[in-house]
Amino acid sequence: MNAQQQKPIIGISIGDLNGIGAELVIKTLNDHRLLELCTPVIFASNKVINFYRKSVPDINFSYQSIKELNRVNFKQINIFNCWEEEVGITPGQLSDIGGKYAIKSLTQAVQALKEGKIHGLVTAPIHKKNTHSNEFNYTGHTPYLKHIFGAQDVAMLMVAGNFRVGLLSEHVPVSEAAKYVTRDNILSKLSIINNSLIKDFGIDKPKVAVLGLNPHAGDEGLIGREEEEIIKPAIKDARHFMLAMGPYSADGFFARKHYEKFDAVLAMYHDQGLIPFKSLAIGEGVNYTAGLPVVRTSPDHGTAFDIAGKNKADHTSFLTAIFECIDIINRRQGYVESHRNPVKKVTPAILANVEDEKIEEDTNNE
């Protein structure tokens, strides 16, 4: 960030053209107080924004159109035109066009992020069905960003205030989820989450809970062996470099609000973590890709074709995603500045001897 402007430039990819992405962007950026905190750059086209602006008539949305990122106006909303041609927009319809231009927006925004022309990225939802192709052979934003930035591994971290849930495996069939429960995967995700909590969220000594894979965390091996043979040994190894505890039975852990005792939770598969998170976050959750050298956030929902173009989309999560992106950028900068002269660290021996949080499990409720 140069001396000319201290506010971060936040890039915004438009998502599926037929989804709620453009409506979310318009509603979110209508609050001009955001311009005091960041400079937004929307990667799309004037025509797309103007089309959806008509469906939100109560909003007076103004912007500056640019074709070069060095012409960004720091006092206005900017639209970087990724294409000039007319595009057929059919709100609520899954189409090849919607996916094609969603990827145009995303790839140009990511290129700008990679070149340092923007300081963070907030991505509107895409649909995997019409974006996956030979040219874009990825199941979503996360694997694409992992590839582009050459990250060995990343972690999908859902964030709502102090409530954070990371996933061991993401968009894989439930029948294959257990294959991802390995010592190396657990240690990798725990390391990424721990480092992110320190550098991105400003927590000096994070405490992370690890959930079990099986009901009641395996009941000491009676309901599956993964906890005894894989998860517990991995947690023991993780304690050489962090405060990791568990494995905990997922149902009781969330039902009794034990997550409030931890800085983050590592779930073993997608729905084990996402169902309680979305139920408890109440529309204010943010998806953050931990482990990247750059900052990317997104809302915690999809394209919502059923309400696209109807002025019904709730932009709370998208607004929160922008705030979180700004905050993480600032925290990272603060971490760098405060660690120019490193202080004494906690030794591995101390971490290895930390005892688990004692959490009572109710095994008679089923």
Side-chain angles (χ1 to χ4, degrees):
M1 217 172 296
N2 57 44
Q4 182 182 358
Q5 59 87 221
Q6 298 300 314
K7 299 180 298 182
I9 302 174
I10 305 299
I12 299 171
S13 62
I14 201 65
D16 193 297
L17 297 195
N18 299 323
I20 61 173
E23 182 180 326
L24 294 175
V25 171
I26 292 169
K27 287 181 174 179
T28 298
L29 297 183
N30 181 57
D31 187 345
H32 284 202
R33 290 176 297 179
L34 273 175
L35 293 175
E36 298 174 10
L37 303 174
C38 71
T39 300
V41 178
I42 306 166
F43 287 79
S45 79
N46 298 346
K47 296 171 184 177
V48 171
I49 296 300
N50 289 336
F51 177 92
Y52 278 100
R53 191 165 58 171
K54 297 174 185 176
S55 67
V56 193
D58 53 332
I59 288 179
N60 182 19
F61 188 82
S62 59
Y63 60 84
Q64 171 177 288
S65 177
I66 59 174
K67 295 182 180 180
E68 298 176 5
L69 288 171
N70 59 4
R71 303 299 297 271
V72 166
N73 186 326
F74 300 126
K75 297 181 181 180
Q76 277 190 293
I77 298 166
N78 299 265
I79 296 181
F80 178 77
N81 281 273
C82 301
W83 61 87
E84 297 289 345
E85 64 268 24
E86 292 284 348
V87 177
I89 302 174
T90 52
Q93 301 297 315
L94 182 66
S95 71
D96 291 342
I97 289 176
K100 175 184 176 181
Y101 285 90
I103 297 307
K104 276 195 174 187
S105 168
L106 175 63
T107 53
Q108 293 195 42
V110 169
Q111 186 61 32
L113 185 62
K114 193 172 185 179
E115 294 174 356
K117 294 179 179 177
I118 60 177
H119 303 111
L121 174 64
V122 180
T123 57
I126 61 175
H127 196 289
K128 296 171 182 60
K129 180 70 174 179
N130 66 356
T131 54
H132 188 269
S133 65
N134 291 333
E135 292 75 30
F136 189 82
N137 190 22
Y138 306 96
T139 57
H141 290 107
T142 303
Y144 172 65
L145 292 165
K146 175 184 173 182
H147 170 75
I148 290 296
F149 290 98
Q152 186 172 355
D153 194 11
V154 295
M156 183 175 175
L157 190 63
M158 308 302 294
V159 180
N162 293 326
F163 181 28
R164 307 174 188 91
V165 177
L167 304 180
L168 185 68
S169 62
E170 298 164 12
H171 301 116
V172 300
V174 174
S175 60
E176 298 178 13
K179 298 177 184 178
Y180 292 82
V181 182
T182 67
R183 173 189 175 277
D184 288 346
N185 282 348
I186 293 171
L187 286 174
S188 177
K189 300 298 184 186
L190 284 175
S191 177
I192 291 170
I193 291 171
N194 184 63
N195 288 335
S196 180
L197 291 172
I198 294 171
K199 298 176 181 179
D200 300 332
F201 295 94
I203 302 169
D204 289 335
K205 299 176 184 177
K207 189 162 59 171
V208 180
V210 181
L211 302 181
L213 172 67
N214 298 296
H216 306 304
D219 262 350
E220 304 296 330
L222 294 176
I223 313 175
R225 299 292 306 170
E226 286 86 357
E227 285 77 12
E228 300 301 314
E229 297 176 359
I230 302 171
I231 302 174
K232 285 184 180 180
I235 293 172
K236 184 178 179 181
D237 289 343
R239 286 180 178 165
H240 288 93
F241 60 86
M242 66 176 290
L243 296 171
M245 299 177 185
Y248 298 116
S249 177
D251 57 349
F253 183 87
F254 288 110
R256 293 165 182 78
K257 298 185 178 181
H258 295 314
Y259 57 87
E260 293 179 350
K261 301 178 181 180
F262 297 90
D263 299 299
V265 182
L266 177 62
M268 291 296 102
Y269 57 93
H270 186 278
D271 282 13
Q272 185 190 54
L274 268 290
I275 290 174
F277 178 84
K278 290 188 177 183
S279 299
L280 294 166
I282 316 177
E284 296 185 358
V286 172
N287 178 3
Y288 172 55
T289 309
L292 292 174
V294 295
V295 180
R296 174 260 173 168
T297 63
S298 73
D300 68 348
H301 55 72
T303 53
F305 286 137
D306 58 319
I307 60 171
K310 299 178 180 179
N311 194 18
K312 293 182 178 180
D314 183 348
H315 65 287
T316 304
S317 180
F318 199 90
L319 176 62
T320 308
I322 291 182
F323 282 136
E324 197 66 62
C325 187
I326 296 167
D327 288 345
I328 292 173
I329 290 170
N330 291 334
R331 290 191 206 107
R332 279 194 179 186
Q333 184 60 34
Y335 177 86
V336 170
E337 292 175 357
S338 65
H339 284 73
R340 286 174 180 163
N341 295 310
V343 296
K344 184 178 179 181
K345 298 179 180 179
V346 178
T347 66
I350 293 175
L351 294 176
N353 291 325
V354 172
E355 292 186 4
D356 277 354
E357 282 280 340
K358 300 302 181 183
I359 293 180
E360 296 293 331
E361 296 293 351
D362 182 0
T363 59
N364 297 314
N365 62 349
E366 295 185 351

